[in-house]
Amino acid sequence: QVQLIESGGGLVQAGDSLRLSCAASGLTFSWYTMGWFRQAPGKEREFVSLISQSGASTYYADSVKGRFTISRDNTKNTVYLQMNSLKPDDTAAYYCAARSRGYGLTYASDSSFGFWGQGTQVTVSS
């Protein structure tokens, strides 16, 4: 079965950096667009970033543009999220997700993603 396992979360101070990883198994990784979403307590899940199957194209939410970088290594079946200049507002559980072809890259609805990880917590203190 498909598994997406996130890691790399933690407690950091504002201005610090973290790199999240998501290791995928049970699917042909290079066939899937990969995305990162986050959900803070009491809030709806929100889009963070996504990357095309080859890694050539990326898309970001305005709130993280210029601070976060998504990348993938198709030889390792892993997608990454490098998060720099973290802010307290970035505090959330971060989830990776996978979706098959058939959507435009900038279509960021979470309903288009069929597979989800269990999440990793990122807490940014002020």
Side-chain angles (χ1 to χ4, degrees):
Q1 73 278 21
V2 175
Q3 283 193 309
L4 302 176
I5 301 176
E6 302 96 334
S7 61
L11 172 63
V12 297
Q13 293 187 330
D16 285 351
S17 298
L18 277 176
R19 188 175 83 154
L20 305 183
S21 300
C22 172
S25 61
L27 75 170
T28 304
F29 185 70
S30 61
W31 290 3
Y32 288 79
T33 294
M34 299 300 296
W36 286 97
F37 292 78
R38 66 187 182 186
Q39 187 168 21
K43 295 186 177 181
E44 292 188 354
R45 185 165 57 192
E46 66 173 357
F47 165 74
V48 175
S49 182
L50 56 81
I51 187 166
S52 63
Q53 292 96 328
S54 69
S57 299
T58 58
Y59 181 55
Y60 297 92
D62 287 344
S63 58
V64 306
K65 200 174 297 182
R67 299 188 298 122
F68 291 11
T69 302
I70 191 171
S71 61
R72 66 189 294 162
D73 186 338
N74 286 349
T75 67
K76 296 182 178 179
N77 289 1
T78 301
V79 60
Y80 305 96
L81 186 69
Q82 177 67 42
M83 306 186 295
N84 297 330
S85 303
L86 283 161
K87 305 175 181 179
D89 283 349
D90 296 318
T91 296
Y94 282 72
Y95 299 89
C96 75
R99 76 178 181 203
S100 58
R101 298 167 180 167
Y103 299 93
L105 182 70
T106 58
Y107 184 70
S109 171
D110 57 359
S111 64
S112 67
F113 287 80
F115 301 107
W116 292 84
Q118 83 289 347
T120 186
Q121 179 67 34
V122 173
T123 303
V124 184
S125 64
S126 58

